[in-house]
Amino acid sequence: MQNAVDTNDFVELVRQAGLRPTRQRLSLARQLFMNGDRHVTAERLHSESLDQGISVSLATVYNTLHQFTNAGLLRELVVDAGRSYFDTNVSAHHHLYFEETGELRDVPGDNVAIENLPMLPHGMKVSRIDVIIRVKNGSAESS
Amino acid sequence: MQNAVDTNDFVELVRQAGLRPTRQRLSLARQLFMNGDRHVTAERLHSESLDQGISVSLATVYNTLHQFTNAGLLRELVVDAGRSYFDTNVSAHHHLYFEETGELRDVPGDNVAIENLPMLPHGMKVSRIDVIIRVKNGSAESS
DNA sequence: AGAAAAATTAGAATCATTCTAATAAACAAA
DNA sequence: TTTGTTTATTAGAATGATTCTAATTTTTCT
């Protein structure tokens, strides 16, 4: 999905998510998926849109992010209290979080092994495993 | 009321955290640490306190939770947007999160192996690694 | 086109959390 | 103990992210 990224691609994407391809959803999809992996907050996506002259309300940004998330196009992640990031990479992977700057970076899923998973209560299944490696400035290592 | 031994224990605990042993902090410490491991929200701790006839403001609950966290007596964890849990278990371990009920349960730290940690940018150190295994009702397993 | 369904919107409402600035309690010294 | 200084507590206001509401506009279907 690198070149030949035109409106039609996004029309299809949005349709396959079971949503009507409105101007707002197409613009947001383009911003989210056109330039590779991203980790965005709703506020940032909204102001980015306005900067690009795309008129869309914050409520619609939230609605769309949740709809895309439900459709499996995005993954929501909460890294600290008070704000959600939406990750355009929905494959198995984890995250490096820079505590000072708030920057979030992907870590390939095979860098982390989950072993001896505890027994789950009957009838329960794993829906997802989130791993967040928090890093900050400093010389030594602590756990 | 509480017996002298218990109270003294908490006076020491609070003092060693560099804080004055006030009535509020001692009550909260008792609630947090008297009955084994807990995962509490500020709101819950507050209403629990009021139920027990301990008068304390919500602001003080928040202040105290953060002070205890900074002193290493608690660990703050964010499992979904909008609320923080405070964990009285500060040893290396991870979490099982029941998405439907919001229940949080500890997983021994040695059940999860982090291998091939990605290279960190120069001067950065790992401050903490959070692993949250999200489970829900259902038959099959997904990753 | 016209009707029905779905989407967008501004602004109000909500919820957890933090801030403010005034009052009260704890501590150290004499 | 009393006094002065520092630190805590508090009610209530403020904040910030998110959700809701109810009205308007778009999209889709026939």
PDB file of all heavy atoms in Angstrom, chain A residues 78 99 111 113 115-117 123 125-128 130-132 134-136 138 140 142, chain B residues 78 99 111 113 115-116 123 125-128 130-136 138 140 142:
ATOM      1  N   VAL A  78      -2.927   1.965  25.792  1.00  0.00           N
ATOM      2  CA  VAL A  78      -2.899   2.907  26.896  1.00  0.00           C
ATOM      3  C   VAL A  78      -1.598   2.726  27.604  1.00  0.00           C
ATOM      4  O   VAL A  78      -1.278   1.646  28.078  1.00  0.00           O
ATOM      5  CB  VAL A  78      -4.041   2.618  27.876  1.00  0.00           C
ATOM      6  CG1 VAL A  78      -4.008   3.612  29.013  1.00  0.00           C
ATOM      7  CG2 VAL A  78      -5.370   2.668  27.167  1.00  0.00           C
ATOM      8  N   GLU A  99       9.550   7.557  28.393  1.00  0.00           N
ATOM      9  CA  GLU A  99       8.760   8.209  29.430  1.00  0.00           C
ATOM     10  C   GLU A  99       8.848   9.730  29.392  1.00  0.00           C
ATOM     11  O   GLU A  99       7.859  10.410  29.664  1.00  0.00           O
ATOM     12  CB  GLU A  99       9.189   7.701  30.816  1.00  0.00           C
ATOM     13  CG  GLU A  99       8.835   6.232  31.013  1.00  0.00           C
ATOM     14  CD  GLU A  99       9.196   5.706  32.405  1.00  0.00           C
ATOM     15  OE1 GLU A  99      10.161   6.221  32.995  1.00  0.00           O
ATOM     16  OE2 GLU A  99       8.498   4.797  32.889  1.00  0.00           O
ATOM     17  N   ASN A 111      10.567 -10.537  19.793  1.00  0.00           N
ATOM     18  CA  ASN A 111      11.605 -10.184  20.756  1.00  0.00           C
ATOM     19  C   ASN A 111      11.190 -10.483  22.184  1.00  0.00           C
ATOM     20  O   ASN A 111      11.949 -10.302  23.117  1.00  0.00           O
ATOM     21  CB  ASN A 111      11.955  -8.696  20.659  1.00  0.00           C
ATOM     22  CG  ASN A 111      12.927  -8.427  19.534  1.00  0.00           C
ATOM     23  OD1 ASN A 111      13.145  -9.288  18.699  1.00  0.00           O
ATOM     24  ND2 ASN A 111      13.495  -7.247  19.522  1.00  0.00           N
ATOM     25  N   ALA A 113       9.255 -13.298  24.680  1.00  0.00           N
ATOM     26  CA  ALA A 113       8.677 -14.628  24.805  1.00  0.00           C
ATOM     27  C   ALA A 113       7.820 -14.709  26.052  1.00  0.00           C
ATOM     28  O   ALA A 113       8.253 -14.341  27.132  1.00  0.00           O
ATOM     29  CB  ALA A 113       9.795 -15.667  24.867  1.00  0.00           C
ATOM     30  N   GLU A 115       6.301 -17.261  28.401  1.00  0.00           N
ATOM     31  CA  GLU A 115       6.400 -18.680  28.712  1.00  0.00           C
ATOM     32  C   GLU A 115       5.633 -19.010  29.978  1.00  0.00           C
ATOM     33  O   GLU A 115       5.448 -18.157  30.841  1.00  0.00           O
ATOM     34  CB  GLU A 115       7.876 -19.068  28.908  1.00  0.00           C
ATOM     35  CG  GLU A 115       8.592 -19.287  27.587  1.00  0.00           C
ATOM     36  CD  GLU A 115      10.082 -19.084  27.722  1.00  0.00           C
ATOM     37  OE1 GLU A 115      10.566 -18.989  28.849  1.00  0.00           O
ATOM     38  OE2 GLU A 115      10.740 -18.990  26.665  1.00  0.00           O
ATOM     39  N   ASN A 116       5.255 -20.274  30.077  1.00  0.00           N
ATOM     40  CA  ASN A 116       4.544 -20.711  31.274  1.00  0.00           C
ATOM     41  C   ASN A 116       3.392 -19.795  31.616  1.00  0.00           C
ATOM     42  O   ASN A 116       3.280 -19.338  32.744  1.00  0.00           O
ATOM     43  CB  ASN A 116       5.456 -20.745  32.508  1.00  0.00           C
ATOM     44  CG  ASN A 116       6.832 -21.270  32.196  1.00  0.00           C
ATOM     45  OD1 ASN A 116       6.959 -22.236  31.448  1.00  0.00           O
ATOM     46  ND2 ASN A 116       7.844 -20.645  32.765  1.00  0.00           N
ATOM     47  N   LEU A 117       2.607 -19.513  30.642  1.00  0.00           N
ATOM     48  CA  LEU A 117       1.436 -18.681  30.927  1.00  0.00           C
ATOM     49  C   LEU A 117       0.688 -19.293  32.107  1.00  0.00           C
ATOM     50  O   LEU A 117       0.529 -20.494  32.176  1.00  0.00           O
ATOM     51  CB  LEU A 117       0.501 -18.659  29.721  1.00  0.00           C
ATOM     52  CG  LEU A 117       0.512 -17.400  28.876  1.00  0.00           C
ATOM     53  CD1 LEU A 117      -0.648 -17.414  27.908  1.00  0.00           C
ATOM     54  CD2 LEU A 117       0.416 -16.179  29.774  1.00  0.00           C
ATOM     55  N   GLY A 123     -12.843 -21.454  30.674  1.00  0.00           N
ATOM     56  CA  GLY A 123     -13.653 -20.707  29.736  1.00  0.00           C
ATOM     57  C   GLY A 123     -13.071 -19.364  29.330  1.00  0.00           C
ATOM     58  O   GLY A 123     -13.620 -18.675  28.493  1.00  0.00           O
ATOM     59  N   LYS A 125     -10.153 -16.996  27.577  1.00  0.00           N
ATOM     60  CA  LYS A 125      -9.101 -17.075  26.562  1.00  0.00           C
ATOM     61  C   LYS A 125      -8.317 -15.775  26.545  1.00  0.00           C
ATOM     62  O   LYS A 125      -8.832 -14.725  26.940  1.00  0.00           O
ATOM     63  CB  LYS A 125      -9.703 -17.352  25.191  1.00  0.00           C
ATOM     64  CG  LYS A 125     -10.486 -16.186  24.638  1.00  0.00           C
ATOM     65  CD  LYS A 125     -10.755 -16.349  23.155  1.00  0.00           C
ATOM     66  CE  LYS A 125     -11.408 -15.073  22.595  1.00  0.00           C
ATOM     67  NZ  LYS A 125     -11.500 -15.086  21.143  1.00  0.00           N
ATOM     68  N   VAL A 126      -7.100 -15.863  26.074  1.00  0.00           N
ATOM     69  CA  VAL A 126      -6.275 -14.672  25.979  1.00  0.00           C
ATOM     70  C   VAL A 126      -6.772 -13.843  24.812  1.00  0.00           C
ATOM     71  O   VAL A 126      -6.915 -14.337  23.695  1.00  0.00           O
ATOM     72  CB  VAL A 126      -4.804 -15.050  25.738  1.00  0.00           C
ATOM     73  CG1 VAL A 126      -3.986 -13.798  25.464  1.00  0.00           C
ATOM     74  CG2 VAL A 126      -4.248 -15.787  26.943  1.00  0.00           C
ATOM     75  N   SER A 127      -7.048 -12.601  25.070  1.00  0.00           N
ATOM     76  CA  SER A 127      -7.519 -11.777  23.972  1.00  0.00           C
ATOM     77  C   SER A 127      -6.362 -10.971  23.400  1.00  0.00           C
ATOM     78  O   SER A 127      -6.327 -10.641  22.230  1.00  0.00           O
ATOM     79  CB  SER A 127      -8.659 -10.886  24.448  1.00  0.00           C
ATOM     80  OG  SER A 127      -8.265  -9.565  24.630  1.00  0.00           O
ATOM     81  N   ARG A 128      -5.373 -10.723  24.243  1.00  0.00           N
ATOM     82  CA  ARG A 128      -4.231  -9.939  23.777  1.00  0.00           C
ATOM     83  C   ARG A 128      -3.206  -9.841  24.890  1.00  0.00           C
ATOM     84  O   ARG A 128      -3.558  -9.893  26.059  1.00  0.00           O
ATOM     85  CB  ARG A 128      -4.726  -8.556  23.415  1.00  0.00           C
ATOM     86  CG  ARG A 128      -3.704  -7.643  22.844  1.00  0.00           C
ATOM     87  CD  ARG A 128      -4.423  -6.415  22.331  1.00  0.00           C
ATOM     88  NE  ARG A 128      -3.949  -5.229  23.009  1.00  0.00           N
ATOM     89  CZ  ARG A 128      -4.560  -4.049  22.926  1.00  0.00           C
ATOM     90  NH1 ARG A 128      -5.690  -3.934  22.255  1.00  0.00           N
ATOM     91  NH2 ARG A 128      -4.072  -3.009  23.527  1.00  0.00           N
ATOM     92  N   ASP A 130      -0.181  -7.303  26.080  1.00  0.00           N
ATOM     93  CA  ASP A 130       0.505  -6.026  25.852  1.00  0.00           C
ATOM     94  C   ASP A 130       1.807  -6.003  26.620  1.00  0.00           C
ATOM     95  O   ASP A 130       1.821  -6.287  27.813  1.00  0.00           O
ATOM     96  CB  ASP A 130      -0.348  -4.866  26.360  1.00  0.00           C
ATOM     97  CG  ASP A 130      -1.526  -4.584  25.448  1.00  0.00           C
ATOM     98  OD1 ASP A 130      -1.480  -4.998  24.276  1.00  0.00           O
ATOM     99  OD2 ASP A 130      -2.480  -3.940  25.908  1.00  0.00           O
ATOM    100  N   VAL A 131       2.858  -5.667  25.937  1.00  0.00           N
ATOM    101  CA  VAL A 131       4.152  -5.512  26.600  1.00  0.00           C
ATOM    102  C   VAL A 131       4.646  -4.105  26.336  1.00  0.00           C
ATOM    103  O   VAL A 131       4.754  -3.691  25.180  1.00  0.00           O
ATOM    104  CB  VAL A 131       5.189  -6.535  26.085  1.00  0.00           C
ATOM    105  CG1 VAL A 131       6.530  -6.301  26.745  1.00  0.00           C
ATOM    106  CG2 VAL A 131       4.702  -7.959  26.337  1.00  0.00           C
ATOM    107  N   ILE A 132       4.904  -3.391  27.387  1.00  0.00           N
ATOM    108  CA  ILE A 132       5.413  -2.034  27.244  1.00  0.00           C
ATOM    109  C   ILE A 132       6.742  -1.922  27.980  1.00  0.00           C
ATOM    110  O   ILE A 132       6.812  -2.119  29.187  1.00  0.00           O
ATOM    111  CB  ILE A 132       4.419  -1.009  27.821  1.00  0.00           C
ATOM    112  CG1 ILE A 132       3.103  -1.088  27.054  1.00  0.00           C
ATOM    113  CG2 ILE A 132       5.010   0.391  27.734  1.00  0.00           C
ATOM    114  CD1 ILE A 132       1.986  -0.310  27.707  1.00  0.00           C
ATOM    115  N   ARG A 134       9.327   0.438  29.227  1.00  0.00           N
ATOM    116  CA  ARG A 134       9.438   1.869  29.523  1.00  0.00           C
ATOM    117  C   ARG A 134      10.900   2.232  29.672  1.00  0.00           C
ATOM    118  O   ARG A 134      11.614   1.616  30.462  1.00  0.00           O
ATOM    119  CB  ARG A 134       8.716   2.192  30.830  1.00  0.00           C
ATOM    120  CG  ARG A 134       7.234   1.975  30.728  1.00  0.00           C
ATOM    121  CD  ARG A 134       6.567   1.975  32.086  1.00  0.00           C
ATOM    122  NE  ARG A 134       5.203   1.517  31.952  1.00  0.00           N
ATOM    123  CZ  ARG A 134       4.187   2.312  31.609  1.00  0.00           C
ATOM    124  NH1 ARG A 134       4.391   3.606  31.428  1.00  0.00           N
ATOM    125  NH2 ARG A 134       2.984   1.815  31.459  1.00  0.00           N
ATOM    126  N   VAL A 135      11.332   3.212  28.933  1.00  0.00           N
ATOM    127  CA  VAL A 135      12.730   3.625  29.037  1.00  0.00           C
ATOM    128  C   VAL A 135      12.822   5.105  29.375  1.00  0.00           C
ATOM    129  O   VAL A 135      11.903   5.877  29.122  1.00  0.00           O
ATOM    130  CB  VAL A 135      13.526   3.336  27.740  1.00  0.00           C
ATOM    131  CG1 VAL A 135      13.455   1.870  27.390  1.00  0.00           C
ATOM    132  CG2 VAL A 135      13.023   4.184  26.595  1.00  0.00           C
ATOM    133  N   LYS A 136      13.939   5.446  29.986  1.00  0.00           N
ATOM    134  CA  LYS A 136      14.195   6.848  30.310  1.00  0.00           C
ATOM    135  C   LYS A 136      15.689   7.094  30.284  1.00  0.00           C
ATOM    136  O   LYS A 136      16.481   6.167  30.151  1.00  0.00           O
ATOM    137  CB  LYS A 136      13.624   7.172  31.683  1.00  0.00           C
ATOM    138  CG  LYS A 136      14.303   6.436  32.830  1.00  0.00           C
ATOM    139  CD  LYS A 136      13.663   6.810  34.153  1.00  0.00           C
ATOM    140  CE  LYS A 136      14.207   5.931  35.275  1.00  0.00           C
ATOM    141  NZ  LYS A 136      13.428   6.073  36.519  1.00  0.00           N
ATOM    142  N   GLY A 138      19.388   7.749  31.607  1.00  0.00           N
ATOM    143  CA  GLY A 138      20.117   7.306  32.781  1.00  0.00           C
ATOM    144  C   GLY A 138      21.159   6.298  32.367  1.00  0.00           C
ATOM    145  O   GLY A 138      21.120   5.767  31.264  1.00  0.00           O
ATOM    146  N   ALA A 140      22.577   3.423  34.481  1.00  0.00           N
ATOM    147  CA  ALA A 140      22.445   2.023  34.885  1.00  0.00           C
ATOM    148  C   ALA A 140      21.102   1.448  34.466  1.00  0.00           C
ATOM    149  O   ALA A 140      20.266   2.115  33.878  1.00  0.00           O
ATOM    150  CB  ALA A 140      22.615   1.909  36.384  1.00  0.00           C
ATOM    151  N   SER A 142      17.719  -0.750  35.837  1.00  0.00           N
ATOM    152  CA  SER A 142      16.953  -1.257  36.978  1.00  0.00           C
ATOM    153  C   SER A 142      15.805  -2.069  36.433  1.00  0.00           C
ATOM    154  O   SER A 142      15.491  -2.000  35.259  1.00  0.00           O
ATOM    155  CB  SER A 142      16.420  -0.106  37.822  1.00  0.00           C
ATOM    156  OG  SER A 142      15.297   0.471  37.193  1.00  0.00           O
TER     157      SER A 142
ATOM    158  N   VAL B  78      -1.667   1.192  34.564  1.00  0.00           N
ATOM    159  CA  VAL B  78      -2.751   1.675  33.730  1.00  0.00           C
ATOM    160  C   VAL B  78      -3.095   0.566  32.777  1.00  0.00           C
ATOM    161  O   VAL B  78      -2.266   0.110  32.009  1.00  0.00           O
ATOM    162  CB  VAL B  78      -2.324   2.905  32.925  1.00  0.00           C
ATOM    163  CG1 VAL B  78      -3.475   3.384  32.080  1.00  0.00           C
ATOM    164  CG2 VAL B  78      -1.863   4.000  33.864  1.00  0.00           C
ATOM    165  N   GLU B  99     -11.034  -8.543  31.096  1.00  0.00           N
ATOM    166  CA  GLU B  99     -11.608  -7.386  30.407  1.00  0.00           C
ATOM    167  C   GLU B  99     -13.055  -7.116  30.781  1.00  0.00           C
ATOM    168  O   GLU B  99     -13.478  -5.972  30.861  1.00  0.00           O
ATOM    169  CB  GLU B  99     -11.486  -7.573  28.886  1.00  0.00           C
ATOM    170  CG  GLU B  99     -10.045  -7.551  28.419  1.00  0.00           C
ATOM    171  CD  GLU B  99      -9.907  -7.675  26.898  1.00  0.00           C
ATOM    172  OE1 GLU B  99     -10.760  -8.327  26.273  1.00  0.00           O
ATOM    173  OE2 GLU B  99      -8.936  -7.122  26.357  1.00  0.00           O
ATOM    174  N   ASN B 111       7.223 -15.958  34.823  1.00  0.00           N
ATOM    175  CA  ASN B 111       6.421 -16.618  33.798  1.00  0.00           C
ATOM    176  C   ASN B 111       6.573 -15.958  32.434  1.00  0.00           C
ATOM    177  O   ASN B 111       6.029 -16.423  31.457  1.00  0.00           O
ATOM    178  CB  ASN B 111       4.936 -16.596  34.171  1.00  0.00           C
ATOM    179  CG  ASN B 111       4.587 -17.718  35.122  1.00  0.00           C
ATOM    180  OD1 ASN B 111       5.481 -18.347  35.678  1.00  0.00           O
ATOM    181  ND2 ASN B 111       3.313 -17.976  35.298  1.00  0.00           N
ATOM    182  N   ALA B 113       9.322 -14.229  29.738  1.00  0.00           N
ATOM    183  CA  ALA B 113      10.723 -13.980  29.396  1.00  0.00           C
ATOM    184  C   ALA B 113      10.825 -12.891  28.345  1.00  0.00           C
ATOM    185  O   ALA B 113      10.164 -12.948  27.323  1.00  0.00           O
ATOM    186  CB  ALA B 113      11.360 -15.262  28.869  1.00  0.00           C
ATOM    187  N   GLU B 115      13.240 -11.534  25.764  1.00  0.00           N
ATOM    188  CA  GLU B 115      14.494 -11.895  25.113  1.00  0.00           C
ATOM    189  C   GLU B 115      14.795 -10.957  23.961  1.00  0.00           C
ATOM    190  O   GLU B 115      13.875 -10.376  23.392  1.00  0.00           O
ATOM    191  CB  GLU B 115      14.398 -13.339  24.580  1.00  0.00           C
ATOM    192  CG  GLU B 115      14.646 -14.358  25.672  1.00  0.00           C
ATOM    193  CD  GLU B 115      14.006 -15.689  25.354  1.00  0.00           C
ATOM    194  OE1 GLU B 115      13.572 -15.881  24.203  1.00  0.00           O
ATOM    195  OE2 GLU B 115      13.930 -16.534  26.268  1.00  0.00           O
ATOM    196  N   ASN B 116      16.079 -10.883  23.631  1.00  0.00           N
ATOM    197  CA  ASN B 116      16.470 -10.035  22.508  1.00  0.00           C
ATOM    198  C   ASN B 116      15.872  -8.644  22.608  1.00  0.00           C
ATOM    199  O   ASN B 116      15.275  -8.149  21.668  1.00  0.00           O
ATOM    200  CB  ASN B 116      16.003 -10.604  21.165  1.00  0.00           C
ATOM    201  CG  ASN B 116      16.133 -12.096  21.094  1.00  0.00           C
ATOM    202  OD1 ASN B 116      17.131 -12.642  21.553  1.00  0.00           O
ATOM    203  ND2 ASN B 116      15.139 -12.755  20.533  1.00  0.00           N
ATOM    204  N   GLY B 123      22.266   6.044  25.979  1.00  0.00           N
ATOM    205  CA  GLY B 123      21.965   6.771  27.204  1.00  0.00           C
ATOM    206  C   GLY B 123      20.621   6.449  27.820  1.00  0.00           C
ATOM    207  O   GLY B 123      20.290   6.964  28.868  1.00  0.00           O
ATOM    208  N   LYS B 125      17.886   3.868  29.542  1.00  0.00           N
ATOM    209  CA  LYS B 125      17.846   2.622  30.307  1.00  0.00           C
ATOM    210  C   LYS B 125      16.399   2.195  30.505  1.00  0.00           C
ATOM    211  O   LYS B 125      15.481   3.020  30.462  1.00  0.00           O
ATOM    212  CB  LYS B 125      18.530   2.814  31.659  1.00  0.00           C
ATOM    213  CG  LYS B 125      17.759   3.711  32.597  1.00  0.00           C
ATOM    214  CD  LYS B 125      18.265   3.583  34.028  1.00  0.00           C
ATOM    215  CE  LYS B 125      17.339   4.379  34.965  1.00  0.00           C
ATOM    216  NZ  LYS B 125      17.643   4.148  36.380  1.00  0.00           N
ATOM    217  N   VAL B 126      16.234   0.897  30.714  1.00  0.00           N
ATOM    218  CA  VAL B 126      14.891   0.387  30.939  1.00  0.00           C
ATOM    219  C   VAL B 126      14.463   0.777  32.341  1.00  0.00           C
ATOM    220  O   VAL B 126      15.156   0.514  33.314  1.00  0.00           O
ATOM    221  CB  VAL B 126      14.861  -1.149  30.809  1.00  0.00           C
ATOM    222  CG1 VAL B 126      13.496  -1.691  31.232  1.00  0.00           C
ATOM    223  CG2 VAL B 126      15.168  -1.553  29.383  1.00  0.00           C
ATOM    224  N   SER B 127      13.339   1.395  32.443  1.00  0.00           N
ATOM    225  CA  SER B 127      12.889   1.774  33.777  1.00  0.00           C
ATOM    226  C   SER B 127      11.903   0.741  34.311  1.00  0.00           C
ATOM    227  O   SER B 127      11.810   0.511  35.501  1.00  0.00           O
ATOM    228  CB  SER B 127      12.287   3.170  33.733  1.00  0.00           C
ATOM    229  OG  SER B 127      10.898   3.160  33.839  1.00  0.00           O
ATOM    230  N   ARG B 128      11.227   0.080  33.401  1.00  0.00           N
ATOM    231  CA  ARG B 128      10.256  -0.922  33.828  1.00  0.00           C
ATOM    232  C   ARG B 128       9.660  -1.611  32.608  1.00  0.00           C
ATOM    233  O   ARG B 128       9.592  -1.022  31.541  1.00  0.00           O
ATOM    234  CB  ARG B 128       9.155  -0.209  34.593  1.00  0.00           C
ATOM    235  CG  ARG B 128       8.124  -1.098  35.184  1.00  0.00           C
ATOM    236  CD  ARG B 128       7.257  -0.276  36.124  1.00  0.00           C
ATOM    237  NE  ARG B 128       5.887  -0.258  35.670  1.00  0.00           N
ATOM    238  CZ  ARG B 128       4.966   0.568  36.148  1.00  0.00           C
ATOM    239  NH1 ARG B 128       5.293   1.474  37.040  1.00  0.00           N
ATOM    240  NH2 ARG B 128       3.741   0.510  35.712  1.00  0.00           N
ATOM    241  N   ASP B 130       6.183  -3.566  31.558  1.00  0.00           N
ATOM    242  CA  ASP B 130       4.833  -3.950  31.955  1.00  0.00           C
ATOM    243  C   ASP B 130       4.287  -4.984  30.993  1.00  0.00           C
ATOM    244  O   ASP B 130       4.334  -4.788  29.776  1.00  0.00           O
ATOM    245  CB  ASP B 130       3.889  -2.741  31.907  1.00  0.00           C
ATOM    246  CG  ASP B 130       4.133  -1.791  33.070  1.00  0.00           C
ATOM    247  OD1 ASP B 130       4.737  -2.209  34.063  1.00  0.00           O
ATOM    248  OD2 ASP B 130       3.720  -0.624  32.962  1.00  0.00           O
ATOM    249  N   VAL B 131       3.772  -6.059  31.539  1.00  0.00           N
ATOM    250  CA  VAL B 131       3.138  -7.074  30.704  1.00  0.00           C
ATOM    251  C   VAL B 131       1.717  -7.265  31.201  1.00  0.00           C
ATOM    252  O   VAL B 131       1.494  -7.532  32.377  1.00  0.00           O
ATOM    253  CB  VAL B 131       3.892  -8.415  30.770  1.00  0.00           C
ATOM    254  CG1 VAL B 131       3.160  -9.470  29.953  1.00  0.00           C
ATOM    255  CG2 VAL B 131       5.322  -8.252  30.275  1.00  0.00           C
ATOM    256  N   ILE B 132       0.783  -7.080  30.322  1.00  0.00           N
ATOM    257  CA  ILE B 132      -0.616  -7.258  30.690  1.00  0.00           C
ATOM    258  C   ILE B 132      -1.243  -8.296  29.767  1.00  0.00           C
ATOM    259  O   ILE B 132      -1.298  -8.117  28.554  1.00  0.00           O
ATOM    260  CB  ILE B 132      -1.400  -5.938  30.564  1.00  0.00           C
ATOM    261  CG1 ILE B 132      -0.807  -4.892  31.522  1.00  0.00           C
ATOM    262  CG2 ILE B 132      -2.881  -6.166  30.869  1.00  0.00           C
ATOM    263  CD1 ILE B 132      -1.335  -3.502  31.286  1.00  0.00           C
ATOM    264  N   ILE B 133      -1.668  -9.400  30.379  1.00  0.00           N
ATOM    265  CA  ILE B 133      -2.321 -10.459  29.626  1.00  0.00           C
ATOM    266  C   ILE B 133      -3.816 -10.240  29.758  1.00  0.00           C
ATOM    267  O   ILE B 133      -4.379 -10.387  30.841  1.00  0.00           O
ATOM    268  CB  ILE B 133      -1.923 -11.834  30.193  1.00  0.00           C
ATOM    269  CG1 ILE B 133      -0.402 -11.989  30.113  1.00  0.00           C
ATOM    270  CG2 ILE B 133      -2.632 -12.952  29.435  1.00  0.00           C
ATOM    271  CD1 ILE B 133       0.144 -13.111  30.962  1.00  0.00           C
ATOM    272  N   ARG B 134      -4.432  -9.850  28.672  1.00  0.00           N
ATOM    273  CA  ARG B 134      -5.859  -9.542  28.707  1.00  0.00           C
ATOM    274  C   ARG B 134      -6.652 -10.785  28.374  1.00  0.00           C
ATOM    275  O   ARG B 134      -6.409 -11.405  27.342  1.00  0.00           O
ATOM    276  CB  ARG B 134      -6.190  -8.460  27.676  1.00  0.00           C
ATOM    277  CG  ARG B 134      -5.545  -7.151  27.986  1.00  0.00           C
ATOM    278  CD  ARG B 134      -5.601  -6.193  26.812  1.00  0.00           C
ATOM    279  NE  ARG B 134      -4.742  -5.052  27.100  1.00  0.00           N
ATOM    280  CZ  ARG B 134      -5.131  -3.998  27.806  1.00  0.00           C
ATOM    281  NH1 ARG B 134      -6.373  -3.916  28.237  1.00  0.00           N
ATOM    282  NH2 ARG B 134      -4.287  -3.017  28.067  1.00  0.00           N
ATOM    283  N   VAL B 135      -7.582 -11.134  29.224  1.00  0.00           N
ATOM    284  CA  VAL B 135      -8.388 -12.323  28.957  1.00  0.00           C
ATOM    285  C   VAL B 135      -9.860 -11.972  28.968  1.00  0.00           C
ATOM    286  O   VAL B 135     -10.281 -10.987  29.560  1.00  0.00           O
ATOM    287  CB  VAL B 135      -8.108 -13.456  29.975  1.00  0.00           C
ATOM    288  CG1 VAL B 135      -6.642 -13.818  29.978  1.00  0.00           C
ATOM    289  CG2 VAL B 135      -8.553 -13.074  31.362  1.00  0.00           C
ATOM    290  N   LYS B 136     -10.600 -12.808  28.257  1.00  0.00           N
ATOM    291  CA  LYS B 136     -12.041 -12.624  28.235  1.00  0.00           C
ATOM    292  C   LYS B 136     -12.709 -13.973  28.044  1.00  0.00           C
ATOM    293  O   LYS B 136     -12.037 -14.973  27.790  1.00  0.00           O
ATOM    294  CB  LYS B 136     -12.433 -11.670  27.110  1.00  0.00           C
ATOM    295  CG  LYS B 136     -12.123 -12.213  25.725  1.00  0.00           C
ATOM    296  CD  LYS B 136     -12.534 -11.210  24.663  1.00  0.00           C
ATOM    297  CE  LYS B 136     -12.047 -11.661  23.289  1.00  0.00           C
ATOM    298  NZ  LYS B 136     -12.187 -10.599  22.272  1.00  0.00           N
ATOM    299  N   GLY B 138     -14.608 -16.976  26.254  1.00  0.00           N
ATOM    300  CA  GLY B 138     -14.582 -17.475  24.882  1.00  0.00           C
ATOM    301  C   GLY B 138     -13.882 -18.802  24.869  1.00  0.00           C
ATOM    302  O   GLY B 138     -13.207 -19.161  25.828  1.00  0.00           O
ATOM    303  N   ALA B 140     -11.880 -20.340  22.008  1.00  0.00           N
ATOM    304  CA  ALA B 140     -10.587 -20.484  21.343  1.00  0.00           C
ATOM    305  C   ALA B 140      -9.564 -19.500  21.896  1.00  0.00           C
ATOM    306  O   ALA B 140      -9.851 -18.695  22.763  1.00  0.00           O
ATOM    307  CB  ALA B 140     -10.731 -20.283  19.848  1.00  0.00           C
ATOM    308  N   SER B 142      -6.556 -16.677  20.789  1.00  0.00           N
ATOM    309  CA  SER B 142      -5.985 -15.848  19.729  1.00  0.00           C
ATOM    310  C   SER B 142      -4.773 -15.163  20.307  1.00  0.00           C
ATOM    311  O   SER B 142      -4.575 -15.133  21.504  1.00  0.00           O
ATOM    312  CB  SER B 142      -7.003 -14.813  19.259  1.00  0.00           C
ATOM    313  OG  SER B 142      -7.087 -13.759  20.184  1.00  0.00           O
TER     314      SER B 142
END
